[in-house]
Amino acid sequence: MVVPPTPENLERAAQVLRSGGLVAFPTETVYGLGANALEATAVAKIFEAKERPSFDPLIVHVADQEMLRVVVREIPPLAERLIERFWPGPLTLVLPKSAEVPGLVTAGLPTVAVRMPAHPVALELIRRAGLPVAAPSANPFGYLSPTRAEHVERMLGHRVDLILDGGRTAFGVESTIVLLAERPVLLRYGAVTVEELKDVLGTLELQIGESEKPLVPGQLPQHYAPRTPIRMAPAESIPLEVRRRVGYLAFQEVPKGFKVVKVLSPTGDLREAAAHLFEALHQLDRLGLEAIYAEPVPEMGLGRAIMDRLRRAASNP
Ligand code: AMP
Ligand code: MG
């Protein structure tokens, strides 16, 4: 339902976010599809609604510095300077994530992308919810980013709890993304220009695109890849003498004989499975196992994105 951003509707939308629902809201770039960034099952609903066949890390939207401190582990001096100059505004910073942020928000990465939007409706919504809000653009996979509430209504109306109408968005292009590792790195061109950034930073390395090969030594990759070899196989197909030596990432039931088992969803719910996927992978990966076997999940709804992630992990050398 599309509603104007009156105080009552903002309160209602904040309540939807607090109770784990989805709210579409205007920002200065495009309309976002938001959920409580601290609750993995709420975030899973975003991926479900967008029908994206893969998981990508989301941008977390905050309303103030206190909220920023909830989602990041540290704020380096250069980040402070960028924040002072460009926030609220279309600049996203990638910083070390705090333990509060679920793996699904960052697609398993140790860093979180965060920004403070320069839109009164977005800011008021986040402030009232009292929560950082994870939000990608409010369009289904493969569609254009929405710059009006009607676009969201047409594409996703049946899948969001509430759409706040803030009129047409000002930029219509995405936020600029800067990673603050040892040195600042531009990850995506956007509404804040390279020249403006260089004004504050002096130098800025470019790493645009989907490259998985870091340019800077020690730089964080853009995709999380487990170190333990991963194979996809149903438990029945794995001999007992192998089971004893390896870990198993199960969808629903606990099979016998494995060294360690993590279950994604005891009730067989794909939303819950998505919510647990990255934490489960991290936990298994930390155990120094010979291998992790992963059970295929049904390839429907969120199951497609889960399988995409597992296949990628399995094809990693
Ligand atoms: P958007 O499409 O505007 O929601 O922006 C999401 C973009 O932010 C994606 O293209 C991601 O690649 C990027 N992003 C989010 N989190 C991270 C991260 N931790 N490290 C690198 N890039 C990120
Ligand atoms: Mg998008």
Side-chain angles (χ1 to χ4, degrees):
M1 196 204 311
V2 181
V3 298
T6 60
E8 301 76 54
N9 287 331
L10 280 160
E11 196 50 46
R12 207 170 128 206
Q15 183 51 43
V16 169
L17 290 175
R18 281 194 296 268
S19 54
L22 297 182
V23 174
F25 62 95
T27 75
E28 79 278 34
T29 60
V30 299
Y31 273 76
L33 181 61
N36 178 357
L38 305 181
E39 194 190 320
T41 45
V43 173
K45 291 181 190 168
I46 293 176
F47 291 103
E48 206 172 12
K50 286 189 63 121
E51 295 186 75
R52 208 170 196 289
S54 59
F55 295 119
D56 51 351
L58 303 176
I59 295 174
V60 173
H61 296 70
V62 297
D64 51 44
Q65 297 249 1
E66 199 183 317
M67 242 183 238
L68 170 67
R69 275 166 223 283
V70 173
V71 298
V72 306
R73 218 180 49 231
E74 59 172 283
I75 305 169
L78 274 183
E80 301 266 16
R81 287 169 55 194
L82 290 173
I83 287 168
E84 200 169 304
R85 170 81 188 274
F86 297 105
W87 280 14
L91 176 67
T92 297
L93 301 178
V94 176
L95 295 166
K97 88 172 190 73
S98 76
E100 308 285 310
V101 179
L104 187 58
V105 171
T106 68
L109 293 173
T111 51
V112 63
V114 59
R115 81 178 190 98
M116 188 186 294
H119 195 292
V121 174
L123 284 175
E124 186 59 20
L125 171 67
I126 300 164
R127 213 173 277 133
R128 280 179 189 253
L131 295 163
V133 174
S137 53
N139 54 279
F141 177 65
Y143 287 75
L144 288 177
S145 294
T147 52
R148 289 173 178 281
E150 301 93 86
H151 299 163
V152 184
E153 165 82 338
R154 216 177 308 136
M155 297 187 288
L156 289 176
H158 54 300
R159 296 185 162 217
V160 299
D161 297 296
L162 208 59
I163 301 167
L164 289 171
D165 189 350
R168 182 203 277 268
T169 61
F171 286 86
V173 294
E174 288 157 313
S175 61
T176 305
I177 304 181
V178 173
L179 165 71
L180 288 151
E182 290 120 73
R183 281 173 277 172
V185 183
L186 184 75
L187 298 180
R188 180 173 79 186
Y189 293 110
V192 169
T193 66
V194 173
E195 290 72 24
E196 289 177 292
L197 288 168
K198 281 189 175 163
D199 238 24
V200 175
L201 296 171
T203 61
L204 181 63
E205 302 209 20
L206 304 189
Q207 193 196 330
I208 309 296
E210 280 296 291
S211 161
E212 307 223 354
K213 290 207 188 71
L215 295 174
V216 188
Q219 187 184 304
L220 303 162
Q222 277 180 264
H223 295 280
Y224 161 66
R227 282 162 306 164
T228 317
I230 298 208
R231 303 191 185 106
M232 302 271 284
E236 316 83 79
S237 72
I238 305 166
L240 276 173
E241 74 268 18
V242 175
R243 294 192 196 190
R244 271 199 295 277
R245 305 195 313 260
V246 302
Y248 196 62
L249 183 65
F251 175 43
Q252 189 172 359
E253 275 154 33
V254 182
K256 287 204 170 41
F258 286 94
K259 198 165 181 184
V260 53
V261 176
K262 294 279 170 210
V263 176
L264 288 177
S265 169
T267 58
D269 175 27
L270 288 166
R271 189 184 288 168
E272 186 184 24
H276 292 154
L277 177 66
F278 291 98
E279 267 81 15
L281 276 173
H282 274 290
Q283 284 166 1
L284 288 170
D285 199 22
R286 271 199 293 269
L287 299 176
L289 298 159
E290 193 177 301
I292 298 166
Y293 282 73
E295 178 174 23
V297 306
E299 290 205 54
M300 49 199 266
L302 281 169
R304 287 191 300 154
I306 295 172
M307 286 296 279
D308 169 78
R309 195 70 206 90
L310 292 174
R311 286 201 184 98
R312 281 179 205 236
S315 67
N316 249 359

